[in-house]
Amino acid sequence: MKYFMFFISFLFIFTGCGADRQETNGGSADEESKETTSPSIDLADIDLGLDIKPTKENVGFTMNFKNNADEPVEFTFSSGQKFEVVVKDQSGQEVYRFSKGKMFTMALEMLKLKAGESVTYKDVWEYKKEGVTLEPGEYQVVASVIPIEMNGEKLGKDPFTAEGSFTIETSAEAQATEKSESEGSQDEQKQNPAFRNIKAAGSNGEYVITGEARVFEAVFMYAVEDGHHQLVKETPFFANEGAPSWSSFELKISIPKDQLPTEGTVTAHIYERSAKDGSIVNSYFVTLEQF
């Protein structure tokens, strides 16, 4: 009997310790769960704008991806591809996909946007499917920015999209548009008091801009960007004569090939700095090359 009572007492103590140990472990798990739970994400705070600009030769897509939240946001991408553009004809058949035939870095990439900050992505399509120019008509566009995570939380398929449409014109319409654009360009040149007869030539990072300038003390500024990055920072250039005379100039620009974009438009911005307050005045934008 004595041994029996001893065995019962030992069993009771062992069971109690086990219960205490289980309860303690359970409490730690709850605390850990609370610590690792992330706050919910409001996708409505992230905006994707889509601007579509068709010409007679191609159509440009500009996507503005903006963080409208009051806090910074970090996005994770599964590869070097940050966006997708898909074009379909009136029957719903896909005629263009940005990523088709392209190679991207196969590694996670991060993008951090501060509150109110945005990033711009660009693409240009030349109206061709498998080398064949498409027929005139209306086409639908769906553009997407495609991160897989936002602030560490998984996202669904194509969480940020924007839609639009454009028209590939007939030959007569294209000619009329070209004439209108040409007249508009001439009007712009006439209206700009500092620059006129501006032309650009060159490719693959080597460019020449020629024209006439009427600028204070014979100096104006230029910079070059591709829609994502500044390729040439603000640089002064001196014309042969200062205002009020018009002076012809030849501006040579050289950009290393490894800094050129894989897609987008390289644009030069020529302008003056106001002698009064240093602000930019008399801006003139020159397309150097499209990729």
Side-chain angles (χ1 to χ4, degrees):
M1 176 65 71
K2 183 185 299 184
Y3 291 108
F4 177 76
M5 294 300 295
F6 176 80
F7 175 77
I8 294 298
S9 299
F10 177 81
L11 182 62
F12 177 79
I13 294 172
F14 179 81
T15 304
C17 291
D20 291 341
R21 188 160 53 244
Q22 185 177 7
E23 181 178 352
T24 301
N25 289 340
S28 297
D30 290 341
E31 292 177 2
E32 183 178 354
S33 176
K34 292 178 181 179
E35 291 176 356
T36 58
T37 300
S38 300
S40 61
I41 300 173
D42 189 353
L43 297 181
D45 287 333
I46 309 302
D47 179 64
L48 177 61
L50 173 61
D51 183 38
I52 304 173
K53 291 186 176 180
T55 69
K56 67 183 183 66
E57 296 178 346
N58 55 46
V59 56
F61 308 110
T62 301
M63 291 147 279
N64 189 56
F65 190 53
K66 185 176 182 180
N67 173 22
N68 290 320
D70 296 328
E71 300 293 335
V73 178
E74 182 175 78
F75 301 93
T76 304
F77 295 84
S78 61
S79 70
Q81 183 184 2
K82 304 298 189 303
F83 67 90
E84 184 66 276
V85 176
V86 177
V87 179
K88 296 182 179 181
D89 61 19
Q90 291 178 315
S91 68
Q93 181 181 5
E94 183 174 303
V95 296
Y96 172 72
R97 180 176 291 267
F98 162 74
S99 61
K100 186 176 181 180
K102 293 183 173 67
M103 299 292 291
F104 300 95
T105 304
M106 298 308 296
L108 294 178
E109 294 196 11
M110 313 299 291
L111 169 66
K112 294 183 179 180
L113 292 180
K114 300 177 183 178
E117 189 177 18
S118 64
V119 62
T120 299
Y121 300 110
K122 292 187 177 183
D123 182 32
V124 177
W125 176 49
E126 296 181 347
Y127 303 143
K128 293 182 179 180
K129 180 182 179 182
E130 299 176 353
V132 179
T133 301
L134 297 180
E135 294 294 325
E138 186 173 352
Y139 292 82
Q140 304 298 317
V141 183
V142 177
S144 308
V145 175
I146 51 175
I148 58 173
E149 292 183 355
M150 176 175 169
N151 285 351
E153 291 191 12
K154 296 290 185 182
L155 294 171
K157 180 178 174 58
D158 298 338
F160 309 109
T161 61
E163 299 182 4
S165 63
F166 66 94
T167 301
I168 298 179
E169 299 174 340
T170 62
S171 298
E173 291 171 336
Q175 291 174 1
T177 299
E178 182 180 8
K179 181 179 178 181
S180 176
E181 290 177 349
S182 176
E183 292 174 349
S185 178
Q186 292 175 4
D187 290 342
E188 180 183 0
Q189 291 181 13
K190 292 178 181 179
Q191 293 173 2
N192 193 306
F195 305 101
R196 71 182 185 185
N197 300 325
I198 305 300
K199 297 181 180 179
S203 62
N204 297 321
E206 300 297 329
Y207 310 104
V208 178
I209 300 175
T210 58
E212 295 177 273
R214 182 171 61 185
V215 291
F216 180 67
E217 294 186 344
V219 63
F220 64 86
M221 315 300 289
Y222 72 93
V224 182
E225 55 88 29
D226 65 359
H228 304 278
H229 307 96
Q230 188 175 55
L231 303 177
V232 178
K233 65 180 182 180
E234 181 178 84
T235 305
F237 184 84
F238 292 89
N240 294 325
E241 296 182 60
S245 299
W246 284 100
S247 176
S248 61
F249 68 88
E250 181 179 272
L251 169 60
K252 296 182 179 179
I253 298 174
S254 181
I255 302 171
K257 290 184 179 180
D258 60 358
Q259 294 183 19
L260 294 173
T262 56
E263 70 274 338
T265 302
V266 177
T267 303
H269 179 196
I270 59 177
Y271 54 92
E272 287 188 276
R273 286 285 184 184
S274 170
K276 181 178 180 180
D277 58 12
S279 62
I280 293 176
V281 294
N282 301 329
S283 290
Y284 199 111
F285 293 91
V286 187
T287 297
L288 299 180
E289 189 172 10
Q290 290 184 330
F291 293 86

